[in-house]
Amino acid sequence: MKKRAIKFRETLIRLGPFYIKLGQALSTRPDILPKIYCLELAKLQDQIPPFSTSVAIKSIETQLGAPISKIFADISPEPIAAASLGQVYKAHLPSGELVAVKVQRPGMTLSLTLDALLFNMIGGQLKRFAKARKDLLVAVNEMVRHMFDEIDYVLEGKNAERFASLYGSVPFDDQNMQSKAAIRDTKCKNTNLVKVPKIYWDFTRKAVLTMEWIDGIKLTDEASLKEAFLNRRKLIDQGLYCSLRQLLEVGFFHADPHPGNLVATSSGSLAYFDFGMMGDIPRHYRVGLIQVLVHFVNRDSLGLANDFLSLGFIPEGADIQVVADALRASFGGEGTRLSQDFQGIMNQLYDVMYEFNFSLPPDYALVIRALGSLEGTAKLLDPDFKVVESAYPFIIGRLLADSNPDMRRILRQLVIRNDGSIRWNRLERLIGAISEQASEYAEDSNSPEESSNPLGWKSFDMRAVVAATEDLLLFILSEKGLRVRIFLLRDIIKAADTFLLNQVAGCTSSYGVEAVQNSDSEAQATLARVALGFRSLGQAVNMAPEVWSAMFLRMVLKPEFRTFILDMLFTLFIHLSRKAPETYWICISQLIHKLVDKPR
């Protein structure tokens, strides 16, 4: 199969632009091709030589209806860049503006139509050759539709303008910003951190696109980035923030942010190019993607299988438990560390998606491509970059800021297991991420120019945090939260026992070693997390004491809250009344032994 996959890739290269594009698209479709084919096709690059400038000029003149000398003051004799569907020239408009002129390969519409027809004729044989799942032709026809969108340069220009209007500057909500954040972000508020070239519509047609020329530094050019004093970490943050907003917040996204379509400007902005391949995912899929990420992080294989079912990835009638078991096996054992980079995650899921005949909606296939391209581009600047790990603050911010019931449910799933027990490690990480903002405020307000978080997207709006906390507490106090309250009491008692054991251990070092060795390591970890959680919570409260105080007051006034607190205190009292005397006498006994054994 490996030899066939290599042969397949080499054949696609020989067949030309359509098949190279097709292979690149199929590389992100583990629901159609086996893993070995996907990995091999991912190596495909545009390797088509440029066509002659005389042909390009003739095409420009035909499209714009005038001699080239009447259209541009000058134009470069050779293309500046070439790809499978077109190539780019540098030119000046008669008014003096420097522009990039993108010219489509001649005959692309006819060529794509003919190639698509031929592929439909041989699709059945190819399906057997590559051991493809499902109806390969249905998926390919969807990809062909995207290719025809790519060769419509008027549509690309509209996509560029829509992209610029959505992401061309950092959005701020002045009403919800805290005063310290407002001070810190004043310098960033009107800064265009994402640059999109202006479209010149008078010089644009279906096969010719004229846009603003943007001088930039390739992200692969490490020396030039250093020379321009550009911070590589900030560039990654800007690209990641913009991509996450596209995929998880707005839905309209650039599906191919590879290094050829992204450059850094001398001012520190990221410039995007090539808006032919765009995706648009509805809210249902955006929420579903966040839920998939949360369930993956939690190793919740059954939740993940149900996510795939609700998103339409799994065919109706499939045995969800069998899918969940296969997903659990792909994660490895409990001690196995889950991959935090996107390609690693896909490698874990490839075989399951192929085996269970997954069906990816067309735009979700583009999401996979976009995330893969994003991570590959970021790794050029930081080889250790992991998209899932880096996206965590943004995802948490979305869960905290969005009061929609779906998002609140996902937030609960992040910190509460299906059986009602608390995920203390996740809760600790969540509170820790929020409390980190406290120290960053102090640092960033003193030197906003050197802020480690210039966009503010790794910070959390305290009003949103407090609202999410209140919603979580109300759920715990409701009838549905009964099991959570029971597990919470159990964990509190266990932490109290561990605390008493530590006190006994402190009476004498000899007993302390034995006590620590015999103690429940999980209980020790829980106690440490609870202590750290309270410290972190204190830091968070200090950031907006009036907001937290108002919320705590509202909770205290609720009868169910007072009842739960009294239940907790009563349970602790009963338990400690039995435990405390035992602890006291053990400590006295150890001290007496120590005095008796002391040499005179």
Side-chain angles (χ1 to χ4, degrees):
M1 190 180 282
K2 172 70 174 174
K3 289 180 180 177
R4 283 190 168 196
I6 294 171
K7 182 78 171 176
F8 187 35
R9 176 177 58 81
E10 292 171 346
T11 303
L12 294 180
I13 291 172
R14 285 200 303 274
L15 287 172
F18 172 84
Y19 289 93
I20 290 175
K21 286 280 184 184
L22 184 64
Q24 290 171 334
L26 285 172
S27 71
T28 61
R29 297 302 299 266
D31 56 322
I32 295 176
L33 293 178
K35 175 181 178 179
I36 198 165
Y37 275 84
C38 291
L39 295 175
E40 192 63 37
L41 293 180
K43 300 174 184 176
L44 280 170
Q45 301 291 333
D46 289 344
Q47 297 172 331
I48 308 299
F51 55 94
S52 73
T53 298
S54 60
V55 172
I57 288 176
K58 186 176 180 181
S59 178
I60 294 171
E61 291 177 336
T62 302
Q63 288 284 312
L64 296 178
I68 195 74
S69 59
K70 299 285 185 182
I71 302 169
F72 301 113
D74 58 66
I75 188 168
S76 59
E78 297 297 331
I80 304 300
S84 54
L85 301 182
Q87 55 199 42
V88 177
Y89 291 85
K90 192 174 185 179
H92 281 93
L93 295 178
S95 53
E97 292 101 324
L98 184 61
V99 294
V101 184
K102 186 174 179 180
V103 187
Q104 194 175 111
R105 284 182 179 274
M108 280 308 301
T109 302
L110 179 60
S111 177
L112 284 184
T113 304
L114 180 59
D115 282 336
L117 177 62
L118 291 171
F119 189 89
N120 271 271
M121 292 169 64
I122 65 164
Q125 288 83 349
L126 183 60
K127 183 177 176 182
R128 288 192 294 274
F129 174 83
K131 295 189 178 180
R133 287 277 185 184
K134 303 194 305 15
D135 191 346
L136 176 66
L137 295 179
V138 172
V140 169
N141 286 338
E142 184 59 37
M143 295 172 196
V144 169
R145 183 181 69 79
H146 280 293
M147 287 186 208
F148 275 101
D149 287 346
E150 280 193 77
I151 62 171
D152 183 348
Y153 287 175
V154 172
L155 178 61
E156 181 176 343
K158 291 177 180 177
N159 287 339
E161 290 191 337
R162 183 182 175 191
F163 190 88
S165 69
L166 290 170
Y167 313 114
S169 59
V170 181
F172 286 89
D173 184 350
D174 291 323
Q175 293 179 347
N176 291 329
M177 283 197 332
Q178 300 298 301
S179 57
K180 289 182 181 178
I183 293 169
R184 185 194 62 195
D185 292 328
T186 298
K187 294 196 175 184
C188 301
K189 188 167 181 179
N190 297 313
T191 303
N192 285 344
L193 296 170
V194 171
K195 180 75 174 169
V196 178
K198 173 187 174 183
I199 306 299
Y200 291 90
W201 288 109
D202 290 341
F203 302 90
T204 294
R205 299 292 185 273
K206 196 175 176 78
V208 175
L209 175 63
T210 304
M211 55 197 150
E212 172 190 5
W213 179 273
I214 296 177
D215 283 312
I217 303 167
K218 289 184 178 181
L219 300 182
T220 52
D221 190 347
E222 187 175 343
S224 296
L225 290 174
K226 282 185 178 177
E227 195 176 311
F229 301 103
L230 294 178
N231 186 311
R232 289 157 38 132
R233 183 70 249 177
K234 286 182 181 177
L235 288 174
I236 291 175
D237 274 353
Q238 286 166 214
L240 179 64
Y241 171 69
C242 185
S243 293
L244 291 173
R245 280 200 67 224
Q246 293 170 50
L247 293 167
L248 301 180
E249 190 174 317
V250 180
F252 183 67
F253 65 97
H254 194 298
D256 201 18
H258 64 72
N261 291 337
L262 275 172
V263 297
T265 68
S266 57
S267 63
S269 300
L270 273 180
Y272 279 75
F273 303 111
D274 195 352
F275 299 90
M277 189 184 298
M278 306 296 290
D280 208 343
I281 48 176
R283 177 181 168 79
H284 168 64
Y285 282 133
R286 298 199 300 273
V287 172
L289 183 57
I290 292 174
Q291 186 157 290
V292 164
L293 290 169
V294 168
H295 283 151
F296 181 83
V297 168
N298 286 344
R299 289 178 178 260
D300 184 353
S301 56
L302 184 59
L304 202 53
N306 281 311
D307 293 340
F308 291 149
L309 180 64
S310 67
L311 289 169
F313 292 5
I314 302 174
E316 289 292 335
D319 189 330
I320 294 300
Q321 190 57 56
V322 174
V323 176
D325 292 342
L327 288 168
R328 188 180 303 110
S330 75
F331 294 159
E334 277 300 317
T336 308
R337 179 177 169 80
L338 282 176
S339 179
Q340 293 295 302
D341 66 313
F342 183 72
Q343 191 55 55
I345 291 171
M346 289 309 301
N347 286 342
Q348 287 178 307
L349 296 179
Y350 270 142
D351 292 332
V352 177
M353 296 177 84
Y354 180 72
E355 180 185 351
F356 288 96
N357 205 19
F358 275 42
S359 176
L360 292 179
D363 280 328
Y364 242 94
L366 288 180
V367 168
I368 292 177
R369 179 170 184 148
L371 286 171
S373 294
L374 169 67
E375 184 170 78
T377 302
K379 279 183 179 291
L380 293 172
L381 296 170
D382 179 5
D384 296 325
F385 176 82
K386 295 176 176 60
V387 71
V388 174
E389 186 177 282
S390 302
Y392 190 80
F394 184 93
I395 293 170
I396 294 302
R398 290 289 300 143
L399 291 175
L400 291 171
D402 195 333
S403 59
N404 183 281
D406 286 336
M407 300 296 264
R408 285 291 187 252
R409 176 173 47 79
I410 297 171
L411 181 59
R412 289 198 299 270
Q413 290 171 346
L414 184 68
V415 296
I416 300 172
R417 294 187 181 90
N418 293 334
D419 63 1
S421 58
I422 307 290
R423 301 180 197 271
W424 288 106
N425 58 332
R426 297 268 180 263
L427 187 59
E428 176 200 1
R429 186 177 177 187
L430 176 60
I431 297 173
I434 295 168
S435 70
E436 271 181 33
Q437 191 178 342
S439 56
E440 286 181 5
Y441 270 140
E443 295 171 10
D444 294 350
S445 58
N446 290 334
S447 54
E449 299 87 351
E450 299 177 7
S451 168
S452 61
N453 182 25
L455 305 180
W457 67 275
K458 294 181 182 177
S459 301
F460 305 106
D461 178 2
M462 273 300 118
R463 293 183 185 279
V465 171
V466 172
T469 304
E470 187 169 5
D471 285 346
L472 187 61
L473 290 174
L474 289 173
F475 171 79
I476 293 172
L477 295 172
S478 69
E479 289 184 18
K480 292 181 180 179
L482 176 60
R483 290 182 64 83
V484 183
R485 295 198 297 275
I486 292 171
F487 275 106
L488 191 55
L489 280 173
R490 184 202 66 177
D491 290 343
I492 290 171
I493 288 170
K494 190 182 287 188
D497 284 346
T498 307
F499 176 76
L500 287 174
L501 182 61
N502 290 341
Q503 296 307 303
V504 171
C507 292
T508 170
S509 58
S510 61
Y511 182 81
V513 172
E514 185 181 347
V516 170
Q517 288 175 344
N518 294 333
S519 66
D520 183 351
S521 59
E522 183 183 343
Q524 291 280 358
T526 300
L527 179 62
R529 286 189 178 116
V530 170
L532 182 60
F534 273 110
R535 281 201 298 273
S536 299
L537 182 61
Q539 285 182 297
V541 169
N542 286 336
M543 292 171 61
E546 67 289 344
V547 182
W548 284 98
S549 300
M551 188 273 286
F552 287 137
L553 182 60
R554 287 194 298 272
M555 295 306 300
V556 168
L557 293 175
K558 292 186 179 296
E560 55 267 40
F561 180 79
R562 296 197 298 272
T563 300
F564 176 65
I565 294 297
L566 289 173
D567 287 345
M568 183 179 67
L569 293 175
F570 181 72
T571 304
L572 271 175
F573 176 77
I574 296 296
H575 181 76
L576 294 179
S577 65
R578 298 193 190 117
K579 240 357 186 178
E582 176 187 332
T583 305
Y584 173 76
W585 288 115
I586 289 173
C587 197
I588 292 295
S589 173
Q590 290 300 315
L591 286 172
I592 291 172
H593 276 291
K594 191 174 181 181
L595 288 171
V596 169
D597 295 340
K598 188 176 181 181
R600 295 175 183 174

